[in-house]
Amino acid sequence: MTATATEPAAALLRAYVDACNDVSRSVWGTDDYRREPAEMLEAMREKPYETFVRLVALDDEHADVPDDEIPLEAVLGTGVVVLPQQDNLTWAYVGATVRPAHRGRGVGSTILDACLALARENGRTTLMAETDHRAEPPEGPESLTAPTGSGRVPLDEAGVRFLTQRGWDLEQVARRSVLPLPLDPAVVEEQRARAALAAGDDYRTVSWDGPVPDEWVEAMAALYTEMSDAPPMGGLEYEQDQWDAARVRHHDDEHVKRGIQSWTTVAQHVPSGALVGYTTLMEVPPVRDLVHQEDTLVAAAHRGHRLGMLLKATNLQRLAAARPDARRIDTWNAEENGHMLAINVDLGFRPAGCSGEWQLKLGTAHGQTTP
Ligand SMILES: CC(C)(COP(=O)(O)OP(=O)(O)OC[C@H]1O[C@@H](n2cnc3c(N)ncnc32)[C@H](O)[C@@H]1OP(=O)(O)O)[C@@H](O)C(=O)NCCC(=O)NCCS
């Protein structure tokens, strides 16, 4: 791997990122998810908790060209295989994407087959993949409904056809929602104050920017562990992923190196001192106008006190102060996650696309990609 994203040897990295950006722009019609090589390079560094294997499909002309001479357009498509190294040892995430100009001639199939081979070699038997869609289609013959009964994907889009034809099952649909900024400060304050009143004196919020302060590292490890399998998962077979203090530190260090800025608010149960919920907003460079609403969790024993709204409204106020120039926030929720979606809708989030969450079990005739 190259040391920096600008040296000549990073030509392949730059072409990889360019292909990812090309696909993302074709899906969303915006540069909302644009990545840059320097940030991607830091994301690619070896991680103790998960191994990321990344693949590129090169055109024939550049198949034997040294990495430092690869022009941007030589990468036709990309693949990724994520192999957890601690829990979920028989599970893998796979992704295959092809530049729009090079679709329909087998590049995607070649990449997906390579990803499946890698997953198999690493003993993985339950695979997950995702397809992204600019709009969630209405019910009808043009759409495929998740077995959860909530959410649909468009049957005529390439990714859906591609995975269904290769034996993958749609297990769940996630809604993408977007909240336009700036928000009316009076409305957010009213939502926060109402939630604080409902929560009462037993709960208080604590907020920080960036890495978790030392005093909360153990508590956040416990919350991240709970978060790993707390949201509804439909039929996706993903088990709880354990976090400890070292993993929290590793995660935060990586974010700092990638230039990621984040804002976190936690809920503390005052009588016990325990942290019982958190929410995080995150900004990934180079994109400045879009901020991501990441995890929000209220521990099971503390639900029903409006803590979800309290956490989110408080954090939105902090974002408004820190990033008055941010133009919108996006977030993803399982379509059947009614409680979380209701809070988001109350805050002004509106549907802005969806993703299909797919699963393939290997080792069955169904799972063979090649005859
Ligand atoms: C899905 C995706 C990866 C497919 O890439 P692709 O390079 O077009 O894939 P292929 O060419 O191998 O297959 C696409 C279709 O072309 C057909 N095809 C393959 N080789 C062909 C050829 N030589 N001539 C004509 N058609 C061909 C395939 O049979 C396939 O048809 P199907 O989808 O009805 O099964 C691409 O559309 C994409 O990047 N989409 C966005 C990301 C995504 O959704 N990825 C899937 C989740 S991992």
Side-chain angles (χ1 to χ4, degrees):
M1 189 182 309
T2 59
T4 71
T6 45
E7 65 192 73
L12 184 59
L13 166 70
R14 290 191 291 272
Y16 172 86
V17 173
D18 191 69
C20 293
N21 289 341
D22 196 9
V23 172
S24 155
R25 197 176 304 120
S26 77
V27 172
W28 299 110
T30 67
D31 281 329
D32 274 359
Y33 299 106
R34 186 160 63 92
R35 306 282 297 267
E36 66 183 10
E39 181 270 321
M40 181 72 89
L41 178 61
E42 292 306 327
M44 283 177 163
R45 304 255 182 234
E46 203 175 323
K47 305 173 208 287
Y49 304 98
E50 284 171 319
T51 299
F52 279 63
V53 186
R54 297 182 196 260
L55 298 87
V56 290
L58 293 174
D59 61 9
D60 289 340
E61 201 189 324
H62 295 92
D64 300 319
V65 168
D67 285 1
D68 58 352
E69 289 169 26
I70 297 286
L72 292 185
E73 66 280 6
V75 170
L76 307 182
T78 68
V80 66
V81 183
V82 183
L83 304 162
Q85 296 298 316
Q86 186 181 265
D87 299 301
N88 290 291
L89 294 173
T90 58
W91 182 94
Y93 175 88
V94 307
T97 65
V98 178
R99 287 188 192 263
H102 296 285
R103 292 187 184 164
R105 51 189 180 95
V107 178
S109 304
T110 305
I111 296 172
L112 188 69
D113 283 347
C115 290
L116 297 198
L118 266 160
R120 269 201 190 89
E121 280 162 26
N122 285 277
R124 311 294 158 135
T125 48
T126 301
L127 308 190
M128 180 184 159
E130 289 176 298
T131 53
D132 288 334
H133 310 284
R134 210 183 286 195
E136 187 175 335
E139 244 172 274
E142 312 282 287
S143 68
L144 177 63
T145 301
T148 57
S150 304
R152 296 161 300 278
V153 292
L155 272 172
D156 63 343
E157 285 194 17
V160 171
R161 284 203 318 268
F162 185 73
L163 291 181
T164 45
Q165 301 231 350
R166 286 160 185 74
W168 290 72
D169 294 316
L170 178 68
E171 298 291 354
Q172 190 181 47
V173 170
R175 182 192 303 181
R176 176 179 188 251
S177 307
V178 169
L179 176 65
L181 300 178
L183 298 169
D184 180 342
V187 173
V188 184
E189 174 50 21
E190 196 191 321
Q191 282 161 322
R192 190 206 62 78
R194 240 187 296 138
L197 198 63
D201 293 341
D202 274 1
Y203 297 96
R204 69 175 189 119
T205 57
V206 179
S207 299
W208 61 78
D209 297 355
V212 178
D214 286 344
E215 63 183 303
W216 303 120
V217 172
E218 294 284 351
M220 290 308 291
L223 289 177
Y224 289 159
T225 301
E226 182 165 349
M227 181 68 198
S228 70
D229 69 345
M233 301 236 181
L236 296 167
E237 293 172 26
Y238 185 81
E239 290 161 7
Q240 193 172 74
D241 196 19
Q242 298 295 319
W243 285 70
D244 59 11
R247 188 168 181 184
V248 174
R249 281 284 165 252
H250 186 274
H251 174 260
D252 282 351
D253 288 350
E254 182 192 314
H255 277 203
V256 169
K257 286 181 188 141
R258 289 169 62 189
I260 289 174
Q261 180 58 273
S262 64
W263 298 268
T264 298
T265 293
V266 299
Q268 186 180 32
H269 180 238
V270 178
S272 65
L275 295 195
V276 298
Y278 75 101
T279 191
T280 299
L281 289 159
M282 187 172 106
E283 180 190 77
V284 183
V287 177
R288 286 280 296 200
D289 50 353
L290 174 75
V291 173
H292 307 288
Q293 168 65 64
E294 296 287 300
D295 293 355
T296 299
L297 174 77
V298 175
H302 296 270
R303 294 190 185 155
H305 301 285
R306 306 287 295 154
L307 292 177
M309 176 59 93
L310 178 63
L311 288 166
K312 282 196 165 177
T314 306
N315 223 24
L316 285 172
Q317 290 180 326
R318 297 179 57 246
L319 180 75
R323 283 284 184 271
D325 52 335
R327 285 293 150 259
R328 55 198 181 282
I329 302 177
D330 74 349
T331 195
W332 296 85
N333 306 100
E335 273 290 4
E336 67 273 29
N337 195 350
H339 293 304
M340 192 80 267
L341 283 169
I343 293 172
N344 290 342
V345 169
D346 265 7
L347 286 165
F349 279 92
R350 293 294 172 257
C354 68
S355 67
E357 312 293 318
W358 302 78
Q359 187 164 269
L360 177 73
K361 305 297 280 271
L362 292 180
T364 62
H366 205 49
Q368 302 301 320
T369 49
T370 41

